[in-house]
Amino acid sequence: MQKTAHELGFTDWLEAVPDTTRRDFLAKVGKSALFVSLGMFGAGCEAVDRGLLDRGLTPIVLVEAQAAGLPKSDMLVHSESPFNGEFAPHLLNDDVTPTARHFVRNNGGIPERAVRQDLDGWQLVIEGEVHKELALSMDDLARFPQVTMEVVLECAGNGRSLFEPKVSGTPWQRGAVACSEWMGARLRDVLQAAGLKPTAVYTGNYGGDIPDDGSEPFSRGIPIEKAMDEHTLIALKMNGEVLPAAHGFPARLIVPGWIGSAMQKWLNRISVRDKVHDSEKMSGYSYRIPAYPIAPGDKPPVEDMRIATAWQVKSLITRPEPHLKFSAGIPIQIRGHAWAGENQIDKVVVSTDFGLQWQATQLIQPSNRYAWYHWETELTFANRGYYEIWARAYDDTGAAQPFTQPWNPKGYLGNVIHRVPVSIPV
Ligand SMILES: Nc1nc2c(c(=O)[nH]1)N[C@H]1C(S)=C(S)[C@@H](COP(=O)(O)O)O[C@H]1N2
Ligand SMILES: [Mo]
């Protein structure tokens, strides 16, 4: 039985690693190594550096992802530490996304507590601009009225790989989005229990994860109005089960319609502030977009950047999957989802001739305004050839998805239309 990093003492254990390996290893695992046990998992993770494995030493961050059930099967993995992975659109066809198909986006390591599903000593602290500071246990949270809601959760960087010129950051394709069912207490009820002071304007949300690169722990916040919205939740369950390690055990925020980074995982503290939260991830170019349209490749001065909040109108084609061959004259089932942040979907139209002509699809209403809509139709191709199925969603403000991706320095809020190529060989 191997010892944990704590038992062994992190320094002693590093001494056991030969110098050359140690340098790479330290670069790879950084600070988060201190927080994860070495011994609890068997060796055998494919991603693990062979040299270390042969010496009976296992890079912790990678093993931690494995212990958290990652990667999920059929996942497109962008990075292992921190772990980031998504699913191809045709794997996201379900009305309610099963946990097994929900993308994972981490800025740092997964807390050991989450991997162990350990509630011992866990508390959610509510502090700052409140009359009464609270330290809530899981039992306390479970005593608040519990709300169940399907909510679209989408990373601000979803679609980043479609930006031209290329931008830095995880190269998400289209699959950093999902719509699962979340259950938990209203953040409003919890904040009311603490009693907001009139000076409260913003939250600062904190979690139990630590970045691998020594940077400030991931923390973002939301305006008090959004925090007090009846749909904003402290989720304790995902698709009917206790939150999985990768998705924020034991508690996370669900901020409907807003970018995923607002939905703090492994939540353990909410500090109510008398001004806009000013953590690293709220500042500079992080999760911020230019106040006005800019030319592709331009970098506006930092004072012209604004905090990204709600998503814009968007859709996904989940049927058919790309590059399938069909026969002329036979109807093909076309299907997908659409969502629009805090707005409603008005319609989704499709084209098979590069946008010359459009036809209506049947829109299926969601279970609530923050779940995704579904749309479907049948298409019949009369002649052989190469085609692209294009889908374009409109919201109730009249906004529709663009044909060319408007550009911003970090590749946020991409909503360019989805195109699925098909061919009719004969
Ligand atoms: N504590 C913490 N919360 C976090 C993150 C994180 O790295 N740490 N990532 C955020 C981002 S950028 C996104 S898109 C969502 C992803 O949620 P998921 O992994 O459950 O899909 O979690 C958000 N909450
Ligand atoms: Mo994100």
Side-chain angles (χ1 to χ4, degrees), residues 129 199-203 272-278:
E129 303 300 311
T199 44
V201 301
Y202 224 86
T203 69
V272 179
R273 309 197 47 150
D274 60 3
K275 57 178 185 192
V276 176
H277 191 33
D278 53 7

Side-chain angles (χ1 to χ4, degrees), residues 103 105 107 153-158 172 176 218 259-262 287 412:
F103 77 99
R105 196 281 185 261
N107 286 266
L153 200 175
E154 179 170 25
C155 183
N158 194 27
W172 299 109
F218 181 90
I259 58 172
S261 60
Y287 301 108
Y412 293 133

Side-chain angles (χ1 to χ4, degrees), residues 5-300:
H6 305 285
E7 286 164 353
L8 201 56
F10 186 60
T11 337
D12 298 350
W13 164 72
L14 278 177
E15 292 311 316
V17 184
D19 260 3
T20 46
T21 324
R22 195 204 302 174
R23 217 172 305 118
D24 307 345
F25 179 54
L26 269 179
K28 233 187 227 170
V29 299
K31 272 171 78 180
S32 60
L34 289 162
F35 294 83
V36 187
S37 7
L38 258 178
M40 50 193 292
F41 325 111
C45 175
E46 296 296 328
V48 165
D49 179 300
R50 292 307 314 176
L52 291 172
L53 251 193
D54 293 347
R55 294 174 184 86
L57 294 166
T58 316
I60 297 163
V61 178
L62 303 186
V63 174
E64 168 199 72
Q66 185 196 27
L70 302 171
K72 302 180 183 185
S73 63
D74 298 326
M75 202 173 211
L76 166 62
V77 176
H78 291 295
S79 61
E80 308 237 11
S81 60
F83 189 92
N84 285 292
E86 66 177 304
F87 292 92
H90 71 273
L91 297 175
L92 296 174
N93 188 51
D94 294 273
D95 288 358
V96 180
T97 312
T99 305
R101 294 276 171 83
H102 199 289
F103 77 99
V104 174
R105 196 281 185 261
N106 293 340
N107 286 266
I110 298 172
E112 183 180 7
R113 174 189 292 290
V115 172
R116 291 181 187 267
Q117 301 264 295
D118 176 12
L119 279 174
D120 200 31
W122 179 83
Q123 286 183 325
L124 173 59
V125 172
I126 312 291
E127 58 171 28
E129 303 300 311
V130 292
H131 292 297
K132 195 175 84 182
E133 199 167 292
L134 302 178
L136 304 168
S137 67
M138 182 53 72
D139 286 347
D140 295 335
L141 277 174
R143 274 194 287 271
F144 285 91
Q146 301 293 299
V147 177
T148 303
M149 223 179 16
E150 290 166 25
V151 177
V152 173
L153 200 175
E154 179 170 25
C155 183
N158 194 27
R160 178 178 286 131
S161 64
L162 303 162
F163 279 66
E164 279 297 337
K166 295 289 169 224
V167 291
S168 65
T170 302
W172 299 109
Q173 298 181 9
R174 292 187 177 269
V177 60
C179 181
S180 287
E181 184 196 88
W182 302 93
M183 192 196 93
R186 290 187 186 93
L187 176 55
R188 176 172 80 174
D189 293 346
V190 172
L191 292 178
Q192 273 169 353
L196 288 180
K197 290 187 178 167
T199 44
V201 301
Y202 224 86
T203 69
N205 312 319
Y206 296 87
D209 55 333
I210 306 283
D212 298 350
D213 59 6
S215 58
E216 187 182 297
F218 181 90
S219 171
R220 299 199 70 252
I222 54 175
I224 274 305
E225 299 73 48
K226 187 67 179 174
M228 294 299 279
D229 186 292
E230 59 173 322
H231 303 295
T232 301
L233 305 182
I234 298 172
L236 311 176
K237 289 189 168 185
M238 175 184 192
N239 293 324
E241 290 177 12
V242 167
L243 288 187
H247 297 290
F249 177 93
R252 80 172 302 164
L253 290 179
I254 289 294
V255 184
W258 284 36
I259 58 172
S261 60
M263 310 202 200
Q264 189 86 28
K265 300 196 277 190
W266 310 296
L267 184 69
N268 57 20
R269 186 160 61 96
I270 298 175
S271 190
V272 179
R273 309 197 47 150
D274 60 3
K275 57 178 185 192
V276 176
H277 191 33
D278 53 7
S279 64
E280 188 183 305
K281 295 287 191 226
M282 298 296 293
S283 317
Y285 293 88
S286 272
Y287 301 108
R288 304 214 301 170
I289 48 173
Y292 44 82
I294 58 163
D298 271 5
K299 192 171 185 181

